[in-house]
């Protein structure tokens, strides 16, 4: 008797769960991905951008500034435009959990409100989600993916995204690496270089590019690796061959670059240290005599000053391209909504992203933003920034300030 | 391919020569001392409760952050000419007490109710505490890296701990700095105090009794709960001290510290024989030396594998660690 | 004891057991332990438990397959939901099934399981992608992947002979770490390319192709996965019912006694490792195909802990438990993640969960006291802060759909970084205090603590949903172990120490 009652109770509770969740389910956006991708969305007064960045995981130190800058962009835009921005954020947990990026991509793809995407942060995340974005008719604008193959086919590696479905507001590894190698060889005239990467995809990409470029012109290059999670550099420093003149550290965390510099000097070594754009942070990386790649940002631009004030005096610029990417998306949305008289689709927004032109004052990167339509130079392709977009090379002065030298 | 690697290693050893050797030895001893302090916490808790306290690495991380908090309260890492010695003492004191209290709280909340549960329950509980602590610190620090040493050397801006990086003596041109000696001396002092506590005091005797046979100790009138809490307290105090030392030595910390270092310290405790106090100290030193020599001679990317490989091989040959005692299986 | 001495040297006969005064079993007598099953839970929960236990297992599996197959038509209609809630849950079920064999059935603490998943993934990725240009069909690659995963597992199992529980855990943990380091950094060059692709991994992996039929859309993958999971679950269930299963259980409970009873314990251990790694290789390969990539960093310790949480929550050794655990953990995580865009709903879920937990206090008047205490503290605190600080301290955000809530919770207008930190630390301290108090003191302390929880939620946690999910996960693990260490569908075991 008890068994029968139990069975009935089980079925009843199952049924109630089914009914309740059906009600919840059918309240959401229905149908398949194709319908969502082609849907026409009313602009109204608010448009939604999906922001994908690593909120948790070991790379959270990099994600948080990106989110801060994205929010700053939203505030700045909303102050002066009638069409307001709203964000849906996706936590991609870069370097801790690659599948998370795929989950975020699927979630964004199915969210009918999202018309444009800023992010994701890591190149390998883009490689894995390119097909999802394409199927969803979205063209993400990333502020930190630097792998060359994302926009340009190279011998041995085909292009990894479809043209028109990916843009980036940051110069790629080929451009930066080439720049750095030329500077080291021609300007600094060094003949013996050691490259230490931090075992992340960004670092490995840059390291490879610089190594190949330097070896082609006859510079001796040795390499080493240290995990991004391990700031004990003493033994890596001890392993540096005595005749090394310059150590290139294409890392993503300025604090670690500073620590490397400190430990190097404390060990009595005198090699010059050169960092990449990931270490560009005047408030943290202050090793005098070192070099750094960075955006030619005007540090006294009013927007930069107000960001600094809102963040306790820390003007870190790693997240700056995310600001630019939000501005790109917002401009494209504005263009698409105006053209469609209050209604637009993802495809229209995507096409407008390719047409966006931002002035120097708006982009904050130190150069105007315009996207390439085809291949250009040695490393650039459709989706890269054209024009004068490039990193500058800075030298750190004894008082900690950065001054441009290349 | 393998013989190439061996040639590379021999080549590297010759290139770095004696200065390289002293450098790596110094690094190994310093980081080994830190690892030994953390490993002691692991080993003491295992000895008493047969519990692998995975959350211990996070206590170490919290200690480093408490020290940083004290530093900030006094003005931050960029004060010029601040009396360093009292500052360091205060940082140590506050961090040690704070970590100790945290350790006891964790024991009370997460492990005490599980004394009689199956072995896997406190293990999972420890993992839960690990997640909780690490994410909480991430929340509180907004995922940022914090710098202890501020900026330094070669520039004309102030640095609180700048004097720490002056060299005390040199061997073959390799400087041994103040902070290196400070860390090693402090670690040795703490370990000596621990050994005195465990082997020369009545309370130490009680600890050893509870580790040997908890029920019999209880029957002899020892307050087992108090002994266990004190064990956690002492282990956490050591970890907190190690955290501050790490901050002074390396200069940078973030919320991911506990995980990485915790794993390494855990390795050290196991290699030395888990449950054995001298074993933890020896194991910490060995792992520190192994790691640094491997980084220097084999290369950053292989060093972790080399260390793990040696340790796995070790455990397969001597399953109880170097100084561990054979566990008696009861039917 | 009688007072007339009997024949010296002959012990007294034992006293008669007292006549049973009531018809129930007695504490201290073996029949109490034996009638454990009879003492079911009372009330509706008891009826559910009974109903569950009395359905035959094959019907449970069939019901699951039927319900799961129907989901894309009424609950998970959007593709994103199907992928995140449906596909991912099934993947976790698959992972959990494999781990359940070695940890649940055989009782071996295997912390290297993610490495086997990784080996399966990488094998599939290397043999079915443009990386080396090899594009073998899935029916050839998957058995190879399963085989590739079992080889190191057999070696590990072999080394398990000499290692007792904790040491085995350590060796397997090192193996897992070594795997990540090997694939991420060491990346030895083979046939002109780094074998494992370094930090980038191996991208653009082909979708599963069985005998010419390509499984590429989310729906197709979903149905395929339901089938795969059902088949593997059935196979493992049969293995559990067999002699091997019984032998595993015996060696789990008491290896020495099992050895004495002539069970080949060492061979059983190796067998457990092989079974578990074969399942891991299979689902690792499917994982790579679904994600279209194999990246080393995803097979790290946090992933391992999640799979462990799945089988522990469900109950070790219970196949149905793996299903339940995977559904609960994955769906909760995905729901709490920021990209699932329901901020309002999440708030009500959080408050609702707290209300339900409090309502479980017995007797009912304790729960009422807690509720009243919480609400009262809230209004009092709000009034005090309002009077003292003005609306700069309470004017914060307006909560859509529940503006009365903003009169209860304190939300300052501009977030003062230190204020948030102090609140959070205060909450943690308050919770520790509550746990250490007993009786009525605990009930009284619970009121303000719950109010503090609400304040912290509004101010801090909902701004950082990803980190909050992890904090709640950690707290859940601790709470679960304290309340119910055997998991939801597991059996309470007493360990012989």
């Amino acid at each position: 008797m008890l068994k029968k009652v139990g069975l009935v109770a089980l079925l009843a509770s199952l049924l109630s769960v089914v009914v309740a969740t059906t009600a919840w389910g059918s309240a959401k956006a229905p149908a398949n991905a194709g319908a969502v991708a082609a849907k026409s969305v009313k602009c109204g007064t608010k448009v939604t951008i999906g922001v994908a960045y690593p909120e948790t995981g070991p790379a959270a130190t990099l994600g948080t500034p990106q989110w801060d800058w994205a929010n700053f962009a939203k505030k700045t835009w909303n102050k002066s435009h009638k069409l307001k921005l709203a964000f849906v954020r996706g936590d991609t947990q870069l370097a801790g959990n690659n599948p998370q990026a795929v989950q975020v991509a699927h979630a964004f793809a199915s969210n009918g409100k999202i018309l444009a995407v800023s992010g994701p942060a890591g190149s390998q995340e883009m490689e894995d989600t390119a097909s999802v974005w394409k199927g969803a008719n979205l063209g993400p604008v990333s502020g930190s993916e630097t792998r060359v193959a994302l926009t340009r086919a190279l011998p041995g590696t085909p292009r990894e995204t479809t043209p028109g479905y990916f843009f980036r507001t940051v110069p790629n590894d080929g451009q930066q690496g080439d720049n750095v190698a030329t500077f080291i060889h021609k300007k600094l005239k060094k003949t013996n270089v050691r490259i230490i990467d931090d075992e992340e995809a960004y670092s490995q990409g840059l390291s490879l590019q610089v190594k190949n470029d330097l070896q082609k012109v006859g510079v001796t290059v040795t390499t080493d690796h240290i995990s991004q999670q391990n700031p004990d550099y003493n033994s890596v420093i001890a392993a540096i061959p005595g005749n090394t003149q310059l150590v290139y550290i294409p890392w993503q965390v300025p604090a670690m670059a500073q620590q490397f510099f400190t430990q190097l000097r404390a060990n009595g070594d005198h090699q010059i240290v050169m960092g990449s754009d990931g270490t560009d942070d005047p408030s943290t990386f202050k090793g005098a005599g070192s070099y750094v790649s960075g955006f030619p940002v005007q540090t006294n631009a009013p927007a930069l000053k107000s960001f600094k004030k809102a963040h306790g005096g820390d003007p870190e610029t790693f997240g700056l391209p995310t600001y630019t990417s939000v501005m790109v998306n917002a401009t494209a949305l504005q263009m698409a909504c105006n053209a469609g008289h209050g209604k637009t689709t993802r495809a229209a927004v995507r096409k407008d992203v390719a047409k966006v032109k931002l002035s120097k004052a708006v982009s904050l990167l130190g150069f105007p933003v315009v996207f390439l339509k085809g291949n250009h130079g040695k490393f650039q392709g459709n989706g890269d920034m054209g024009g004068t977009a490039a990193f500058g090379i800075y030298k750190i002065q004894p008082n900690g300030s950065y001054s441009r030298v290349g | 391919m393998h013989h190439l690697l061996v040639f590379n290693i021999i080549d590297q050893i010759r290139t770095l020569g004696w200065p390289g050797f002293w450098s790596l030895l110094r690094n190994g001893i310093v980081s080994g001392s830190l690892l030994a302090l953390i490993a002691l916490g692991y080993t003491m808790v295992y000895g008493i409760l047969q519990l692998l306290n995975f959350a211990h690495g996070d206590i170490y991380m919290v200690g480093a952050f408490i020290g940083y908090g004290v530093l900030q309260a006094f003005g931050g890492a960029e004060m010029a000419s601040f009396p360093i010695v009292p500052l360091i003492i205060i940082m140590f004191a506050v961090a040690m007490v704070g970590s100790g209290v945290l350790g006891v709280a964790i024991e009370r909340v997460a492990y005490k109710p599980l004394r009689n549960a199956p072995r896997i329950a406190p293990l999972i509980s420890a993992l839960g505490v690990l997640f909780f602590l690490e994410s909480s610190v991430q929340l509180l620090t907004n995922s940022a890296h914090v710098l202890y040493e501020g900026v330094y050397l070669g520039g004309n801006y102030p640095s609180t701990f700048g004097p720490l990086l002056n060299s005390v003596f040199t061997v073959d041109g390799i400087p041994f700095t103040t902070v290196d000696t400070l860390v090693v001396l402090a670690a040795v002092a703490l370990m000596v105090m621990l050994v005195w506590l465990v082997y020369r005091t009545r309370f130490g005797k009680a600890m050893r009794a509870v580790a040997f046979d908890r029920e019999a100790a209880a029957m002899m009138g020892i307050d087992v709960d108090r002994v266990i809490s004190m064990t956690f307290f002492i282990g956490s105090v050591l970890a907190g001290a190690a955290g501050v030392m790490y901050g002074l030595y390396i200069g940078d910390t973030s919320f991911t510290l506990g995980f990485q270092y915790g794993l390494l310290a855990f390795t050290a405790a196991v290699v030395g024989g888990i449950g054995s106090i001298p074993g933890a100290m020896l194991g910490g030193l060995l792992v520190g030396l192994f790691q640094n020599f491997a980084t220097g001679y084999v290369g950053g990317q292989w060093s972790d594998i080399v260390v793990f490989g040696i340790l796995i091989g070790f455990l397969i040959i001597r399953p109880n660690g170097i100084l561990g005692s054979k566990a008696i299986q009861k039917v | 004891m009688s007072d007339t001495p009997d024949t010296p040297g002959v012990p007294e006969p034992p006293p008669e057991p007292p006549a049973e005064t009531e018809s129930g079993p007695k504490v201290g007598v073996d029949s109490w332990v034996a009638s454990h099953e009879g003492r079911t839970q009372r009330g509706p929960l008891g009826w559910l438990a009974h109903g569950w236990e009395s359905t035959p297992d094959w019907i449970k599996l069939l019901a699951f397959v039927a319900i799961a197959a129907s989901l894309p038509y009424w609950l998970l209609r959007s593709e994103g939901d199907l992928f995140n809630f449906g596909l991912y849950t099934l993947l976790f079920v698959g992972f959990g099934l494999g781990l359940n064999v070695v940890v649940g059935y055989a009782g071996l603490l295997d912390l290297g399981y993610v490495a086997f998943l990784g080996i399966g993934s990488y094998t599939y990725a290397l043999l079915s992608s443009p990386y080396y240009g090899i594009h073998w069909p899935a029916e050839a690659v998957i058995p190879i992947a399963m085989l590739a995963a079992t080889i190191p597992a057999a070696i590990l199992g072999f080394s398990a002979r000499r290692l007792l529980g904790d040491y085995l855990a350590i060796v397997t943990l090192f193996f897992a770490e070594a795997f990540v380091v090997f694939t991420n950094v060491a990346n030895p060059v083979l046939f002109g390319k780094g074998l494992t692709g370094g930090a980038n991994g191996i991208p653009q992996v082909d979708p599963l192709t069985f005998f010419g039929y390509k499984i590429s859309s989310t729906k197709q993958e979903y149905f395929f996965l339901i089938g795969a999971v059902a088949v593997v679950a059935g196979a493992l269930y049969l293995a559990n019912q067999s002699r091997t299963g019984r032998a595993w259980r015996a060696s789990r409970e008491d290896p020495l006694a099992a050895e004495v009873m002539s069970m080949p314990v060492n061979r059983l251990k190796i067998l457990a490792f092989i079974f578990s790694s074969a399942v891991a290789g299979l689902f690792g390969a499917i994982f790579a195909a679904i994600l279209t990539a194999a990246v080393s960093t995803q097979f790290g310790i946090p992933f391992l802990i999640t799979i462990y949480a799945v089988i522990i929550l469900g109950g070790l050794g219970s196949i149905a438990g793996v299903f339940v655990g995977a559904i609960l953990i994955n769906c909760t995580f995905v729901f709490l993640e920021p990209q699932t865009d329901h901020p309002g709903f999440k708030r009500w879920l959080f408050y609702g969960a707290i209300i339900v937990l409090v309502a479980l206090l017995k007797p009912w008047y304790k729960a009422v006291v807690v509720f009243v205490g919480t609400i009262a503290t809230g209004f009092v605190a709000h009034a005090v802060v309002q009077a003292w600080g003005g609306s700069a301290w309470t004017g914060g955000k307006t909560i859509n759909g529940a503006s009365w809530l903003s009169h209860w919770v304190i939300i300052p207008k501009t977030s003062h970084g230190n204020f948030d930190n102090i609140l959070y630390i205060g909450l943690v301290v308050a919770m520790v205090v509550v746990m250490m108090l007993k009786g009525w003191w605990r009930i009284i302390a619970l009121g303000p603590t719950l109010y503090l929880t609400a304040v912290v939620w509004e101010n801090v946690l909902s701004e950082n949903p990803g980190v909050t999910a992890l904090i709640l996960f950690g707290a859940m693990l601790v709470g679960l172990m304290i309340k119910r260490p055997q998991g939801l569908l597991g059996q309470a075991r007493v360990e012989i120490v």
Side-chain angles (χ1 to χ4, degrees):
Chain A
M1 166 60 190
L2 204 55
K3 280 194 192 171
K4 284 223 187 81
V5 173
L7 262 166
V8 170
L10 187 64
L11 287 171
S13 47
L14 223 60
L15 206 64
S16 53
V17 167
V18 163
V19 168
T21 41
T22 311
W24 182 72
S26 42
K28 301 174 43 139
N32 52 7
V36 176
K39 203 158 81 134
S40 163
V41 176
K42 221 162 70 146
C43 291
T45 47
K46 204 151 70 148
V47 278
T48 312
I49 300 180
V51 179
Y53 72 102
E55 181 195 332
T56 57
T61 30
L62 306 169
T64 317
Q66 291 191 321
W67 175 245
D68 286 342
W69 274 104
N71 267 322
F72 183 65
K74 178 167 87 159
K75 269 204 279 258
T76 313
W77 174 275
N78 285 352
K79 261 202 290 231
S80 51
H81 290 84
K82 255 195 11 189
L83 187 66
K84 309 274 179 227
L85 300 175
F87 284 161
V88 170
R89 52 206 240 180
D91 177 11
T92 59
Q93 269 196 28
L94 171 65
N97 197 350
N98 210 58
Q100 194 82 336
V102 181
Q103 285 186 300
V104 170
H106 279 268
F108 279 5
S110 305
N111 187 339
K113 286 193 295 184
I114 294 183
L115 290 170
V117 173
S118 272
S123 302
Q124 67 269 46
E125 296 178 332
M126 196 61 211
E127 286 177 329
D128 299 337
T129 51
S131 50
V132 180
W133 299 121
K134 174 139 190 272
N137 235 332
L138 287 167
V141 182
S142 172
S144 55
E145 290 172 1
T146 54
R147 191 169 149 87
V148 178
L150 290 174
T151 51
R152 175 75 178 251
L154 294 173
T157 359
R159 185 188 161 121
E160 286 168 356
T161 61
T162 314
Y165 285 87
F166 171 69
F167 304 89
R168 53 173 153 215
T169 50
V170 61
N172 65 31
D173 286 342
Q175 291 174 278
Q176 187 182 164
D178 217 32
N179 237 6
V180 164
T182 313
F183 187 81
I184 293 179
H185 175 62
K186 292 239 164 70
K187 273 279 189 61
L188 294 181
K189 299 209 193 338
K190 298 298 176 198
T191 52
N192 195 320
V193 170
R194 188 164 180 91
I195 306 182
I196 305 181
D197 70 60
D198 67 0
E199 298 173 7
E200 298 296 320
Y202 159 88
S203 196
Q204 290 181 344
L206 268 178
S207 157
L208 202 60
Q209 181 71 41
V210 172
K211 179 168 105 146
N212 289 341
D213 284 345
L214 284 177
Q215 281 179 331
K216 260 197 276 219
V217 287
V219 174
T220 318
V221 178
T222 56
T223 56
D224 204 352
H225 319 259
I226 181 109
S227 157
Q228 194 184 69
Q229 306 308 322
N230 176 12
D232 184 352
Y233 305 118
N234 287 300
S235 291
V236 168
I237 291 172
I240 299 178
N243 51 1
T244 308
Q245 299 164 316
L246 180 138
V247 181
Y248 178 55
I249 45 174
W251 295 350
Q252 288 172 307
V253 185
M256 314 198 83
Q258 175 59 36
Q259 281 318 302
F260 181 81
F261 176 83
T262 304
Q263 289 173 19
L264 187 71
R265 293 287 181 263
N267 243 300
D269 288 334
H270 297 289
Q271 287 90 357
I272 298 185
V273 173
M274 181 152 187
S276 65
D277 73 296
T279 58
D280 174 18
D281 183 355
S283 72
T284 315
F285 184 29
K286 297 195 204 177
S290 308
Y291 295 85
V292 147
S293 289
F295 288 111
V297 174
Q298 266 101 326
T299 37
N300 46 10
L304 214 59
K305 278 200 172 140
S306 60
F307 180 82
K308 213 163 118 158
K309 212 164 68 133
H311 284 82
D314 187 357
E316 68 75 47
T317 44
F318 184 78
L320 186 47
T322 310
Y323 171 94
T324 317
S325 82
V326 171
M327 287 312 213
V328 164
N329 275 327
T331 313
L333 281 164
Q334 177 94 74
M335 283 162 61
C337 285
N338 286 347
H341 304 293
K343 281 216 297 218
T344 186
T345 62
R346 285 178 179 174
V349 176
R350 200 172 39 80
K351 296 205 180 82
D352 279 337
V353 170
K355 299 192 212 141
V356 164
K357 287 194 179 43
L358 292 182
S359 70
K360 204 154 64 154
V362 174
S363 80
L364 280 195
L365 292 174
F367 46 77
V369 171
V370 58
F371 291 111
L372 292 169
K373 303 246 180 325
N375 287 350
H376 177 82
K378 274 199 280 180
F379 301 105
Q380 289 160 287
N382 177 302
D384 273 320
M385 293 187 290
T388 50
F391 283 120
I393 300 194
Y394 292 83
K395 181 165 177 175
I396 307 184
Q397 304 303 315
N399 65 350
S401 67
Y402 285 18
S403 78
R404 184 151 185 194
V405 292
Chain B
M1 203 178 74
H2 286 300
H3 57 264
L4 277 177
L5 194 63
V6 171
F7 281 152
N8 277 347
I9 300 179
I10 298 184
D11 219 15
Q12 182 80 337
I13 299 182
R14 264 191 290 165
T15 319
L16 294 182
W18 277 113
F21 178 79
W22 292 122
S23 223
L24 294 174
L25 186 70
R26 170 201 65 186
N27 298 339
I29 293 181
V30 177
S31 69
S33 319
L34 285 178
L35 285 175
L37 284 178
I38 310 173
L40 279 170
Y42 272 113
T43 236
M44 289 204 299
V45 166
Y46 186 86
I48 282 221
L49 281 180
Q50 277 75 52
L51 162 71
L52 294 172
N53 182 14
F54 287 125
H56 193 66
D58 276 347
I59 300 184
Y60 165 65
M61 183 251 304
V62 171
F65 272 103
I66 297 181
Y68 178 73
V70 171
L71 179 63
Q72 284 295 92
F74 274 95
E78 297 187 12
M79 304 176 284
S81 56
F82 192 87
I84 296 188
V85 174
L87 177 61
I88 292 186
I89 294 183
I90 297 180
M91 281 167 70
F92 265 108
V94 176
M96 283 161 79
V97 169
S99 310
V101 168
L102 180 65
V104 172
I106 292 178
E107 191 264 326
R108 279 306 177 78
V109 168
Y111 303 144
K112 182 146 176 252
L114 298 173
R115 290 257 178 93
N116 297 318
R119 286 281 298 278
I120 201 167
L123 216 68
I124 301 293
S125 195
L127 288 175
V129 174
L130 171 82
F131 264 102
F132 185 82
L133 269 184
E134 186 172 321
S135 308
S136 298
V137 174
Q138 179 178 7
L139 193 69
L140 292 173
T141 60
N142 213 15
S143 311
H145 276 248
V146 295
L147 283 176
Y148 258 67
E149 276 170 9
V151 292
Y152 155 70
L153 274 193
N156 43 13
Y157 24 67
S159 159
T160 318
F161 292 121
L164 274 186
L165 292 157
N166 295 333
S167 127
V168 171
F169 61 94
T170 56
V171 175
D172 228 340
I174 300 295
F176 282 66
T177 60
T178 314
V179 69
D180 291 338
T181 27
L182 170 71
V183 168
V184 175
L185 286 180
V188 167
L190 284 171
M191 287 192 255
V192 163
M193 281 200 273
L194 179 74
V195 166
W196 172 80
L197 177 75
V198 171
Y199 291 104
R200 296 271 171 175
T201 59
R202 271 186 55 160
F203 184 74
K205 214 180 234 179
M207 282 172 70
R208 278 179 287 145
V210 172
F212 191 77
D213 188 335
R214 201 192 308 168
E215 285 193 14
M219 282 190 254
M220 299 301 280
I222 297 177
D223 184 347
V224 170
D225 281 343
R226 211 175 79 110
V227 167
I228 293 183
S229 293
M230 277 306 282
T231 310
F232 268 89
F233 182 78
I234 296 173
S236 307
V237 158
L238 291 176
V244 174
M245 280 189 242
Y246 176 86
L248 293 173
Y249 175 57
I250 299 288
D252 162 284
T253 187
S254 81
F255 70 94
T256 52
L257 177 68
F259 205 59
Q260 282 302 110
Y261 249 76
L263 196 62
L264 227 46
F266 177 59
T267 312
V270 165
V271 159
I274 194 150
S276 146
I277 289 184
M281 299 192 224
L282 182 64
L285 203 59
L286 278 181
V287 171
L289 286 170
F290 269 150
Q291 211 206 10
N292 280 288
F293 276 104
T295 312
Y297 289 149
V298 185
Q301 79 271 35
W302 287 102
S303 70
D304 275 342
I305 294 191
V306 165
V307 173
F308 288 144
I310 293 179
L311 294 166
I312 293 185
F314 214 112
L315 273 184
I316 297 195
I317 303 174
R318 258 199 86 90
N320 291 316
I322 304 180
L323 299 176
S325 49
K326 245 186 166 29
I328 305 170
Q329 275 188 294
K330 299 184 217 155
V331 185
Chain C
M1 288 267 276
S2 71
D3 25 36
T4 56
D6 288 331
T7 327
V10 175
E12 302 233 348
E16 291 286 336
E20 298 214 352
T21 47
E22 31 172 279
S23 52
K26 286 199 158 18
V27 178
V29 178
D30 279 339
S31 52
W32 188 81
V33 172
S35 60
H36 158 86
E37 284 347 312
R39 283 175 289 113
T40 53
Q41 287 167 297
R42 305 265 164 73
L45 225 55
W47 296 342
L48 280 181
H50 248 291
W52 178 260
E53 272 158 40
S54 51
T55 39
D57 291 323
W58 63 270
I59 291 194
K60 287 185 207 164
L61 188 61
L62 212 59
F64 171 77
V65 170
I67 297 178
S70 73
L71 283 178
Y73 301 105
W74 51 275
L75 183 57
L76 300 175
R77 279 158 71 201
S78 82
E79 195 250 353
D81 277 353
L82 186 63
F83 188 88
N84 287 331
F85 284 101
L87 209 55
Y88 242 72
T89 308
L90 287 175
L91 279 174
F92 269 102
V93 172
F95 300 153
L97 283 174
L99 190 59
N100 196 31
V101 172
V102 69
V103 179
Y105 291 165
L108 300 165
L109 195 57
D110 175 13
L111 295 179
Y113 184 71
V114 274
F116 304 136
L117 284 178
I119 294 176
S121 276
Y122 268 94
T123 312
Y124 180 83
L126 284 172
L127 295 176
S128 273
S129 71
Y131 197 68
Y132 279 124
I134 311 176
H135 293 275
W136 288 354
E139 67 263 16
V141 178
I142 289 195
I144 298 180
M146 288 170 74
L147 188 66
T150 50
I151 296 176
I155 299 177
L156 266 186
F158 189 74
S159 66
R161 311 148 96 227
R162 295 195 61 184
L163 296 170
L164 296 178
D166 294 327
Y167 288 100
L168 178 68
I170 291 154
V171 170
T172 48
L173 184 64
F174 292 164
F175 178 68
E177 281 288 304
F179 176 77
V180 174
V181 172
F182 178 78
T183 52
N184 191 21
V185 191
N187 196 12
V189 175
L190 209 59
F191 306 128
K193 276 193 188 179
L195 178 67
T196 54
N200 266 323
I202 302 182
Q204 289 158 346
V205 170
D206 297 339
L208 292 165
T209 320
F210 285 101
F211 302 109
Y213 182 72
K214 202 147 73 133
I215 301 180
S216 50
S217 82
T218 309
K219 260 214 188 123
Q220 290 173 313
E221 289 169 352
Y222 181 73
F223 289 128
F224 170 72
L225 211 48
I226 294 181
V229 160
V231 166
V232 172
L236 289 177
Y237 177 81
L238 291 174
N240 194 26
Q241 303 287 72
S242 73
R243 279 180 52 169
T244 315
R246 290 196 288 274
W248 275 334
R249 263 172 284 156
S251 72
R252 172 186 75 198
E253 296 300 336
D254 197 334
L256 218 50
E259 186 85 49
V260 165
M261 299 296 283
S262 82
M263 289 190 220
V265 170
N266 286 330
R267 266 190 274 165
L268 284 170
K269 286 185 185 173
I270 300 180
L271 202 62
F273 266 97
I274 291 180
F275 262 76
S276 129
S277 61
V279 174
L282 169 69
F283 282 104
I286 299 179
F287 192 44
I290 289 182
L291 245 48
T292 67
V295 180
S296 60
T297 44
Q298 67 206 44
F299 300 111
I301 305 293
F303 194 53
L304 176 76
I305 296 181
T306 316
I307 306 179
Y308 260 93
V310 164
I311 62 172
I312 300 258
L313 179 62
L316 283 177
S318 152
I319 293 188
V322 174
F323 282 85
V324 169
I327 293 175
L328 282 178
I329 288 205
N330 190 49
C331 293
T332 316
F333 250 124
V334 173
F335 190 71
L336 285 176
E337 289 289 338
Q339 53 264 24
T340 315
D341 185 24
H342 290 288
F345 203 74
K346 287 180 199 179
R347 166 184 296 118
W348 299 128
L349 199 70
F350 182 72
Y351 287 148
I354 295 188
I355 293 179
V356 165
L357 284 174
V358 171
L360 287 176
L361 280 177
K362 307 179 194 338
W364 60 270
Y365 52 84
K366 283 194 181 170
V368 169
V369 169
V370 172
F371 280 133
V372 168
T374 312
I375 299 177
T377 332
F379 281 117
V380 166
H382 190 93
V384 166
V385 169
Q386 180 103 0
W388 171 69
S391 69
W393 276 87
T394 51
K397 58 183 180 195
T398 43
I399 303 170
N400 297 332
S403 50
W404 55 265
L405 204 57
S406 38
H407 290 292
W408 183 62
V409 181
I410 301 175
I411 308 176
K413 257 213 178 105
T414 43
S415 64
H416 314 245
N418 284 331
F419 174 66
D420 286 345
N421 287 354
I422 294 176
L423 269 185
Y424 185 78
I425 296 183
L427 176 63
V428 174
V429 170
M431 296 217 293
V432 170
V433 166
V434 160
M435 296 244 223
M436 306 232 265
L437 291 173
K438 302 248 187 292
W440 273 103
W441 285 113
R442 183 186 272 198
I443 304 292
I444 295 174
L446 210 51
T449 309
L450 285 181
Y451 176 67
L452 196 54
T453 313
V455 175
V456 167
W457 172 266
E458 294 296 342
N459 279 311
V460 179
L461 295 180
S462 51
E463 305 299 319
N464 296 291
V467 185
T468 308
L470 290 174
I471 293 179
L472 292 177
F473 180 64
M476 182 276 287
L477 283 179
V478 177
L480 177 72
M481 284 298 113
I482 295 180
K483 274 285 156 219
R484 203 183 153 93
Q486 71 265 32
L488 291 174
L489 296 178
Q491 284 184 313
R493 286 172 56 213
V494 175
E495 253 190 37
I496 306 163
V497 175

